[in-house]
Amino acid sequence: MLKYILRRIAYAIPIALSVSVVCFMLVHIAPGDPIDAIVPPDTPKDVVEQVRKDYGLDKPLPIQYAVWLGHVLQGDLGRSIATRRPVAGDLILAARKTFVLALTAAMFGFAIGIFLGSLAAFFKGTWIDRLAVSFAVGGVSVPHYWLGMVMVIFFSVLMNVFPAMGAGPGDWQWDWQHIQYLILPALTLSCTPIGLLTRTVRGIVSEILNQDFVTTLRGKGLRNRTMMLHVVKNAAPTILAVMGLQLGYLMGGSILVETIFSWPGTGSMLNAAIFRRDIPVIQGATLVLAMFFVMLNLIVDIMQTMIDPRIVRK
Amino acid sequence: MRMKLSYLLGAFAISGCISAAQAQTLRVAMTTSDLPLTGGIPDNGSEGGRFAGYPIFDGLANWDFTKTDAAADLTPGLATEWKVDPNDKTIWIFTIRQGVKFHDGSTMTVDDIVWNFDRHLKESAPHFDTAQARSYRTYTGQVVKYWKIDDTHLALQTAQPFSVLPYLISRVFIVSPTQYKKIGNWLDFQMQPSGNGPFKVEKINPRVSIDLARNEEYWDKGRIPKVKKMILMPIPDANTRVAALRSGQVDWIEYPAPDSNASLKAAGFNVVVKPYPHVWVWQYNHTSDSVLQDKRLRLALNYGLDRDSMMELLAGTAKPSIGFYEKESKFFGAPKEMFKYDPEKAKALLKEAGYGPGKPLKLNVQLPTAGSGNMVPLQIGEFVQQSLREINVEVTHEVVDWGTMLTSLRQMPGKGAEPRRDAIAHGLPLGDVTNFYSQFTGMANKLGSNWSTFIHPKVDELANKAFQTFDAAERDKLIAEAHSVVVDEAAWLFVVHDLNPRALSPKVVGFNQAQSWYQDFTQLTVKD
């Protein structure tokens, strides 16, 4: 098992390096100039060139990459071109807010998705199944920005029960003053995992329910509750993999929801940085999110082997 | 049901408590994607200056917000008066206001102002602001020398006589050297800045809000803010800003989307509009790279655009533009061409130039998706495209984000790797007459602005004379004359002037919008 874990960690290193190269190259290939975030539009050209030199943006790309990677390895993601603040500091604050949002959305999504999926599998072919499947299709199809706006209109503007935007005053706390800001964006964000989990759980559980060992267990007169345990254990690796991917997706994919709700997380930070060509912020945020994804996959892989040792043998 | 009801009542009670606590606090939703910098060199264009500039700091000259029926002009700020040296017109003498205190309690001196110019211009100074100073060269670039004359006077010198210097240096905000020395670097100074404006920075919540508090010691007793606090929040999405206003989370939003104005008004919110120095245009490419070198085509587009119909789309947030300056401006002059919608005249001009139904004029125009002062660029761009199609002009849009467009504006047409384009469409400020200089003169073209490369000897001659004329009336007359040439030459396609819309909660009273990119937040109150 330890060998397997070490091997998986070793695999993660080239992935991380590739991610860093892609992150770095992508922002440089994109059109636009980070200097525009710093100087007004009618600044004389010689001043623009001087500013470019000051920020080291006049150096060849491989040198810029080497310098950047050297700093990253020491935990220094550089300074934002627009604000001059260290990227790492802002990123930690933003990632904390995004993690709160993603985790809450994941909790909503996983709980509702697993419940609906299991229900649909047990009552396959009935109206309950059809209802759950419709809900799942709706969940994966509905655009976040549309749902977010509808939520805001209904719950904030018309009913005035939840705030329309922001994450509450000061630092995040798990109290009602802050939680009320979390509900609408988390519900909006949870739609996709609800849909995906419902469909996945329905598929895997109904497949397992049709397997011979379940018929045998039923024939042996096992109670439904005990039988469920066997079904869950068999379905868990697949569901875990989907949940892991979804949590990663929620961490990195909340850009639209964060923009609509002005949630000060990594999504809105990245959005603002892209528009301002704030290269250190784009590189830092993308790298951290990508690494989170890699780490999450690693954790899921390890958890899968713990639940189902056959995976290691394979 | 009972539970639901009690929950709702509870929620309303909570929001009621919040409202009471927020009395005398003005909560503002800005359009920026992040907080503007608060160290005295704000970014985010004029919106940065509006919120993180003048409320916290003062310049030697400030903007006069009291006369709201005309474009705002300069008024004494930290300098009580200024004049050009009669013996050497490159030297300006500023009389510095005495007894003004910074937010940290220190008293401002002439040395402090020299220290502030060192921050911008003296690269060998220990506090030279390497990161930000160059971004302000547009405003400080004309100053070649500065010195303390005595305890009440400061001198600024320009390379050549430059009569509009006070407009440029009005954006040079004075910060406290005492506070800087206490903190030690400009980055941390941003978190605890000290100026001498009507509001003090109480707290900066990175990416969330700038919390300002009333400066009880403000030197201009008539402008001590009536509200106790002002909270500035960046909310880049227009729909989110409207929702935040309608749900009572903010009291003031910048630039509500035009299509939301009617419903906001119906719901009792005040949508405030007023002219201000702004224009939305197509900056034509005047080089051999484009067909728009032909004056007949430039005139045809200006006559063929149905600006009046566009007003309906913009729901009262703009007015038609037929020049760089609006018709009522003292700088408009008396051009012969007054661009009234005349599709027949436009078609005739196009025919004369060899274009018609069988051979439409094809133009490639860059259009931004958003950006400071760009209003609703996609809607405006598409309307122009549709209107010009009626006169056999086919417009292809190259849609880019604001940052990419700014890069294009710096790359002179026909040079570098930029693709060929006939125009760049966007909105721009005309905060002071120096904007005319940077957009329409050959001198500016050499410096890398004036992307259009509109160079006209008469305009250059008049503009040069204007900036070396110290009689304000004469200077205005010369600019107006130069502007007439710009209009008669149809230098650009003039589309609309923005009316600076913002929406306010009915609780906000006493706000009288100035005709300026900056506004006065000191005279308004927020009712409980």
Side-chain angles (χ1 to χ4, degrees), chain B residues 316-334:
Chain B
T317 62
K319 65 178 196 174
S321 155
I322 56 165
F324 185 63
Y325 293 110
E326 56 183 49
K327 259 193 295 183
E328 298 75 14
S329 164
K330 61 183 175 185
F331 300 122
F332 186 76

Side-chain angles (χ1 to χ4, degrees), chain A residues 215-226:
Chain A
T215 319
T216 314
L217 292 177
R218 275 203 182 115
K220 278 180 156 182
L222 223 66
R223 282 186 309 167
N224 267 350
R225 212 158 151 200
T226 321

Side-chain angles (χ1 to χ4, degrees), chain B residues 68-117:
Chain B
T68 54
D69 54 348
D73 211 332
L74 294 182
T75 188
L78 296 176
T80 53
E81 59 174 354
W82 50 85
K83 60 181 181 197
V84 72
D85 185 338
N87 301 317
D88 182 350
K89 293 205 165 157
T90 63
I91 298 174
W92 287 82
I93 297 164
F94 289 81
T95 307
I96 304 303
R97 196 177 292 281
Q98 297 300 296
V100 175
K101 289 215 183 287
F102 285 109
H103 299 154
D104 56 89
S106 58
T107 306
M108 186 191 73
T109 64
V110 178
D111 292 312
D112 292 343
I113 295 172
V114 171
W115 184 92
N116 270 274
F117 275 93

Side-chain angles (χ1 to χ4, degrees), chain A residues 36 38 40 54 79 164-165 260, chain B residues 134-135 187 240 249 407 410:
Chain A
D36 295 325
I38 309 167
D54 291 348
R79 283 180 186 274
M165 56 101 213
I260 290 165
Chain B
R134 286 201 180 87
S135 73
L187 189 65
T240 309
Q249 254 187 290
T407 308
R410 291 213 176 93

Side-chain angles (χ1 to χ4, degrees), chain B residues 201-236:
Chain B
V201 171
E202 198 173 60
K203 196 178 174 204
I204 310 265
N205 299 300
R207 301 183 56 240
V208 176
S209 69
I210 302 172
D211 299 357
L212 303 177
R214 172 161 70 198
N215 176 11
E216 307 274 2
E217 309 297 320
Y218 189 51
W219 58 267
D220 185 349
K221 298 301 171 204
R223 287 190 67 235
I224 293 177
K226 292 181 176 165
V227 287
K228 278 186 188 152
K229 289 188 176 196
M230 179 155 81
I231 296 172
L232 308 167
M233 291 171 262
I235 307 181

